[in-house]
Amino acid sequence: QVQLQESGPGLVKPSQTLSLTCTVSGGSISSGGYYWSWIRQPAGKGLEWIGRIYASGSTNYNPSLKSRVTISVDTSKNQFSLKLSSVTAADTAVYYCARDHDGYGANFDYWGQGSLVTVSS
Amino acid sequence: QSVLTQPPSASGTPGQRVTISCSGSSSNIGTNYVYWYQHLPGTAPKLLIYRNNQRPSGVPDRFSGSKSGTSASLAISGLRSEDEADYYCAAWDDSLSGPVFGGGTKLTVL
């Protein structure tokens, strides 16, 4: 059974960089066949896809966040990470990592439990 | 504003059949698969329907999905109290080169 777990600071100051890591167990990122995504949900709002990475390191980002987002992968640790720079209060959200089964779809079959990140001074 | 449009709320009584709609455009639903998620507060979203009408293992056949043109629907039959949750549709968007979600529909079981 594949499991994903987000980790990282729960509080980030405005203008700083939000950093989260997703640790995958029960399956290997390097085996390929899946994309690994970050998705967020601000309080009271819907889900927003942030971006994704393939085992090779190839990435795709949401155009609305692209200038501030970097997603990287460490296959030796079976982890992938999110960095979001120049954060504001609007970036306060629950951040999820998820496995995407389809290359051109939204087939997120496994999710982490979510990590609440608050942007505040 | 979400790219895919869903009604903010829906309701039904136990045993009833309810449907939730999802409207998109030719760049997403019109040309790509639709997916549906169930989300309970404090938990991870759960994939209910993939590729328009397929159910993952373990999802009851009370849940079904359909698509027509640039719209899609999720139907829940034999409504149960545990079905009370937020439901999201999603699809790949060719213009954005990424997946997009609906704004979510809060289902209340009366």
Side-chain angles (χ1 to χ4, degrees):
Chain A
Q1 179 80 342
V2 175
Q3 293 185 317
L4 292 81
Q5 179 66 58
E6 305 89 352
S7 59
L11 181 64
V12 181
K13 289 182 167 52
S15 80
Q16 295 192 339
T17 296
L18 177 160
S19 295
L20 291 172
T21 295
C22 183
T23 301
V24 179
S25 59
S28 174
I29 290 177
S30 59
S31 64
Y34 304 101
Y35 288 84
W36 303 90
S37 282
W38 287 98
I39 296 161
R40 70 180 182 179
Q41 183 177 34
K45 297 188 178 181
L47 299 165
E48 179 182 36
W49 177 74
I50 299 169
R52 67 182 187 180
I53 192 164
Y54 196 69
S56 63
S58 172
T59 55
N60 300 105
Y61 298 130
N62 187 322
S64 68
L65 298 168
K66 187 174 182 178
S67 63
R68 300 193 291 130
V69 173
T70 301
I71 296 176
S72 59
V73 64
D74 186 338
T75 54
S76 67
K77 294 182 179 179
N78 220 28
Q79 296 175 334
F80 62 106
S81 298
L82 167 70
K83 290 189 184 299
L84 181 65
S85 63
S86 305
V87 297
T88 68
D91 296 310
T92 294
V94 176
Y95 286 76
Y96 296 96
C97 56
R99 187 180 84 167
D100 187 356
H101 200 280
D102 291 346
Y104 294 94
N107 194 351
F108 303 106
D109 56 356
Y110 289 99
W111 296 65
Q113 281 300 106
S115 179
L116 174 62
V117 178
T118 301
V119 178
S120 175
S121 56
Chain B
Q1 290 291 74
S2 300
V3 175
L4 305 181
T5 301
Q6 297 179 237
S9 64
S11 63
T13 55
Q16 218 175 15
R17 181 178 186 271
V18 297
T19 60
I20 297 172
S21 62
C22 176
S23 177
S25 68
S26 58
S27 66
N28 41 67
I29 293 178
T31 50
N32 296 299
Y33 290 124
V34 178
Y35 304 77
W36 289 92
Y37 294 88
Q38 180 190 60
H39 193 198
L40 294 162
T43 69
K46 174 186 175 182
L47 180 66
L48 277 183
I49 298 290
Y50 67 98
R51 297 178 190 172
N52 299 338
N53 54 20
Q54 303 299 301
R55 281 186 308 277
S57 174
V59 173
D61 59 7
R62 301 188 297 108
F63 294 90
S64 62
S66 63
K67 181 183 116 169
S68 178
T70 58
S71 295
S73 292
L74 172 71
I76 309 172
S77 60
L79 199 62
R80 298 183 178 184
S81 58
E82 58 259 39
D83 297 332
E84 191 162 284
D86 295 324
Y87 292 84
Y88 293 88
C89 59
W92 181 267
D93 190 286
D94 293 332
S95 298
L96 298 179
S97 294
V100 291
F101 290 90
T105 298
K106 183 174 183 62
L107 175 63
T108 301
V109 181
L110 302 169

